[in-house]
Amino acid sequence: MILSGAPFDPIAFRLGPLAVHWYGILIGTGALVGLFVAVREGRRFGVAEDFFYDLLLLGVPVAIVFARAYYVLFQWPYYAAHPEDIVAVWKGGLAIHGALIGSGLVALFYARRRRVSVWWLLDVAAPSLIIGQAIGRWGNFMNQEAHGGPVSRAFLESLHLPNWIIEQMNIGGTYYHPTFLYESIWDFLGFLLLITVRRRLSLLRGELIALYAIWYSVGRTYIEGMRTDSLMLTPTIRMAQVMGLLLIALGVAVIVFRRRQPDATRYDAPPDRPAPPDVL
């Protein structure tokens, strides 16, 4: 397939009438890698693995529903005319900002139910979120979506990309910016940053998730300007860029707010330690 220059089949394999898509496999792989990262961090605090297994079982379905609902909302004229496609998530169309809204609500509910600091839970989840996004973007690659505008093959070759990526960006005889790759690399660098900061700096609870929001949103806001399939708030304003700017401002505000709290708890404190400023 690679040698022939043909695009990858978005269907990985079939089980009778059931088609298993690469998009779903890669989204699922991102979630499992994120779970592994969270479980390893939880061991530092003596948190049982079941804590994160239960969170994943609750969080992933909610995140998918919110991600799809967010996407459908901003593409409603199409889905109003094609309601049968609303549930066709294997074709793509999961908006990360919708997933973040759903995940945030789950975190609030789960932290209260398990009587842990929601700030702590969000901080532990931050590296898991961004490494999951880095992997999940390759689902867009397999679907030949979330790409940028037209470019020449010579431009893609100048990036020293392997031929199988270059040819996957050949859609209908035109080569496109691999914006999925730009974001995946940015997310992976963000993962390394969060892991390094978490290990080497003395952080307050809430600062790691704030740093995630700032890092991810800076890259996404810039890369979104290259894309051709953006969800639009108005004919000229991209919704992802609006959300990116809001998340950057929110991240900065959280850091300032936490630093001004004299009794703010450190990240490495036990997760269930009573601390009124932490438990929402």
Side-chain angles (χ1 to χ4, degrees), residues 58-258:
L58 176 64
V60 168
V62 172
I64 290 175
V65 169
F66 271 76
R68 186 61 173 176
Y70 185 101
Y71 183 85
V72 169
L73 176 64
F74 285 98
Q75 298 279 17
W76 183 244
Y78 171 82
Y79 287 105
H82 303 86
E84 69 280 2
D85 282 349
I86 290 177
V87 297
V89 295
W90 54 87
K91 296 181 180 179
L94 295 179
I96 184 60
H97 289 116
L100 291 178
I101 293 170
S103 299
L105 293 175
V106 169
L108 286 170
F109 167 80
Y110 197 72
R112 281 183 174 272
R113 187 176 182 85
R114 300 298 292 265
R115 300 183 65 82
V116 300
S117 162
V118 69
W119 288 122
W120 174 84
L121 181 58
L122 290 172
D123 284 341
V124 169
S128 298
L129 284 171
I130 203 164
I131 192 63
Q133 290 170 235
I135 296 169
R137 274 300 173 199
W138 288 85
N140 300 129
F141 167 74
M142 297 302 295
N143 279 356
Q144 293 185 306
E145 62 186 6
H147 56 73
V151 295
S152 66
R153 181 183 174 88
F155 170 80
L156 296 179
E157 290 174 346
S158 73
L159 300 179
H160 305 288
L161 300 176
N163 188 62
W164 54 274
I165 291 182
I166 293 175
E167 289 306 321
Q168 188 71 359
M169 290 295 97
N170 181 354
I171 304 171
T174 301
Y175 290 94
Y176 292 91
H177 263 298
T179 47
F180 86 92
L181 178 62
Y182 305 156
E183 188 172 329
S184 180
I185 292 172
W186 182 258
D187 290 346
F188 182 71
L189 292 175
F191 170 74
L192 296 179
L193 173 67
L194 294 182
I195 291 296
T196 301
V197 167
R198 186 167 71 184
R199 292 285 189 248
R200 298 191 177 185
L201 298 182
S202 179
L203 298 176
L204 298 176
R205 286 181 180 167
E207 291 188 319
L208 201 66
I209 190 66
L211 181 58
Y212 156 81
I214 294 168
W215 177 272
Y216 171 70
S217 298
V218 167
R220 177 62 186 272
T221 300
Y222 177 77
I223 294 168
E224 189 69 20
M226 304 181 191
R227 287 180 52 172
T228 59
D229 60 347
S230 298
L231 299 178
M232 305 301 291
L233 181 61
T234 72
T236 58
I237 299 177
R238 300 169 191 258
M239 190 61 203
Q241 291 181 320
V242 173
M243 290 295 293
L245 294 175
L246 289 175
L247 285 173
I248 292 169
L250 180 61
V252 172
V254 167
I255 293 173
V256 171
F257 170 71
R258 297 297 284 162

Side-chain angles (χ1 to χ4, degrees), residues 8-88:
F8 288 100
D9 189 339
I11 298 175
F13 57 89
R14 296 181 182 273
L15 295 173
L18 177 65
V20 179
H21 291 248
W22 280 112
Y23 186 82
I25 291 174
L26 288 160
I27 294 292
T29 300
L32 291 176
V33 171
L35 173 64
F36 173 77
V37 171
V39 166
R40 281 181 61 88
E41 183 64 9
R43 289 174 184 159
R44 293 179 56 198
F45 299 91
V47 176
E49 294 182 7
D50 288 352
F51 176 93
F52 295 103
Y53 296 155
D54 292 345
L55 178 60
L56 183 73
L57 290 175
L58 176 64
V60 168
V62 172
I64 290 175
V65 169
F66 271 76
R68 186 61 173 176
Y70 185 101
Y71 183 85
V72 169
L73 176 64
F74 285 98
Q75 298 279 17
W76 183 244
Y78 171 82
Y79 287 105
H82 303 86
E84 69 280 2
D85 282 349
I86 290 177
V87 297

